[in-house]
Amino acid sequence: MNQPIANLRKVRSVELRTTAAADSADFYENVWGLSTVERGEEGAWLRGTGEEHHVLQLTAADQNGLGRITFAVSTPADVDEAARRLAERDIPIVAGPGPTGEIAAGYGVSFVDLEGRVVQLLADAYAVAAMHRADAVPVGVTHIVLNTVDIDAAVAFYTDVLGMRVSDWSEHQMAFLRCNSDHHSIAFNQAGWTAINHVAYEMPSVDHFMRGIGRLRHHGVLPMWGPGRHGPGDNTFSYFADPGGLVCEYTSGIAQVEEDRWLCRVWRRVPELSDTWGTAGPPSAEVRSHMAGVPDDGAFAHRPDLRELAHR
């Protein structure tokens, strides 16, 4: 039996391809509450109040999509071992292992999953001092939800290859996967095409969460769905659309998993469990449309040869 390629510590950052890079960079800095690390014509890198060099990379593109998900691993030796295990499994490596030469530096390896998403494992990246801000701004990215055409295959890949654990199911529509004590870092949603569904940003408390929603209202940005509290994960939620139409979420209070005591359950998809507060109502057609995204072949769009390699 193959071992997982690495021990993932957490999500470091997410790269989003966007048709509105400049406007989105303004939004995430001036409205959403992130701080710009660097910005240029091709995009921007933004941090939260945590210690990650950046948590969001925006890259200018002709079509919205997922650029890359970066997970933290402990050491360069872990990266080299992950690359060796990827090669043993014939999983296509698109960069590394080695020094990345990127803005956050570090030592990494990047590969593609079954649907063309690029996943990076990164060690020794630059860290920054945590910011102790009193205003209601995000700590960083806490989870990413991905639309998949085959939820069983996606879950199998991320559990078998990446060693993630399934915390819960929402019937056979969504699966919530963890890599640490947080209930989920990645979730998959069964859909008609592969796409980014949304990115969630952690707020330090429910008070910060609500005050953040208030700040967005002050800027004329209203929630598409929320505020409420989900059943699976027990986290608060409020979903918004950025200028490019990608969905971003404020959340807080994610359930913490004790590995030897947690029991995975299958939640029914009913309004009282999708929002246990009963404040948000069912998701609107608008938020469902935004979360559906557009068909995204990821790395396969530029490297058709990778599709065949990924499915050998």
Side-chain angles (χ1 to χ4, degrees):
M1 180 177 178
N2 287 324
Q3 291 182 307
I5 63 169
N7 180 23
L8 308 184
R9 294 173 54 211
K10 62 177 179 177
V11 174
R12 279 194 186 273
S13 63
V14 60
E15 177 192 2
L16 298 177
R17 302 194 311 271
T18 174
T19 58
D23 289 342
S24 292
D26 289 341
F27 168 83
Y28 282 105
E29 178 176 24
N30 300 319
V31 180
W32 197 247
L34 301 179
S35 300
T36 297
V37 176
E38 188 165 323
R39 183 170 175 176
E41 292 184 2
E42 297 300 316
W45 292 259
L46 300 104
R47 64 164 295 188
T49 61
E51 296 179 346
E52 292 296 339
H53 174 271
H54 68 275
V55 299
L56 174 63
Q57 178 182 347
L58 298 170
T59 300
D62 294 331
Q63 178 179 291
N64 287 344
L66 175 68
R68 178 174 64 188
I69 298 171
T70 297
F71 291 98
V73 295
S74 295
T75 68
D78 292 325
V79 172
D80 287 336
E81 180 63 15
R84 185 187 68 79
R85 293 180 182 182
L86 285 165
E88 285 182 347
R89 292 168 174 260
D90 292 328
I91 296 171
I93 293 174
V94 294
T100 66
E102 297 175 357
I103 186 172
Y107 190 94
V109 63
S110 297
F111 58 96
V112 293
D113 72 6
L114 296 174
E115 294 178 273
R117 304 179 191 90
V118 177
V119 177
Q120 181 185 52
L121 307 183
L122 186 63
D124 284 3
Y126 289 149
V128 291
M131 300 168 66
H132 300 288
R133 291 175 57 177
D135 48 344
V137 296
V139 177
V141 169
T142 181
H143 67 257
I144 302 155
V145 176
L146 304 165
N147 295 329
T148 176
V149 298
D150 188 338
I151 195 168
D152 294 317
V155 169
F157 184 94
Y158 278 72
T159 53
D160 179 45
V161 176
L162 288 169
M164 302 189 80
R165 285 86 67 198
V166 178
S167 296
D168 283 314
W169 287 84
S170 178
E171 295 188 5
H172 197 228
Q173 180 63 41
M174 293 190 71
F176 301 87
L177 281 66
R178 67 185 185 275
C179 65
N180 51 33
S181 63
D182 287 351
H183 178 270
H184 58 283
S185 300
I186 296 290
F188 287 102
N189 175 61
Q190 180 67 44
W193 53 76
T194 302
I196 180 78
N197 185 289
H198 70 268
V199 178
Y201 298 80
E202 178 191 0
M203 301 298 265
S205 69
V206 174
D207 180 70
H208 290 85
F209 166 80
M210 292 302 296
R211 288 195 287 122
I213 295 170
R215 183 182 63 253
L216 265 69
R217 285 184 175 274
H218 176 77
H219 284 275
V221 181
L222 301 179
M224 291 192 296
W225 188 29
R229 184 183 286 276
H230 287 313
D234 197 34
N235 53 300
T236 64
F237 68 86
S238 195
Y239 298 93
F240 302 83
D242 72 15
L246 292 163
V247 179
C248 45
E249 176 192 5
Y250 278 159
T251 188
S252 65
I254 187 77
Q256 296 299 296
V257 171
E258 293 184 52
E259 289 292 341
D260 58 346
R261 299 182 64 184
W262 186 265
L263 294 177
C264 176
R265 62 179 286 190
V266 178
W267 293 76
R268 291 181 299 122
R269 294 183 63 80
V270 293
E272 60 267 28
L273 296 180
S274 64
D275 173 24
T276 60
W277 281 352
T279 54
S284 67
E286 179 189 23
V287 73
R288 288 186 183 278
S289 175
H290 279 278
M291 286 180 171
V294 294
D296 180 10
D297 282 340
F300 295 161
H302 309 288
R303 291 274 310 275
D305 59 304
L306 291 177
R307 188 188 299 273
E308 182 177 348
L309 292 172
H311 287 85
R312 284 192 304 193

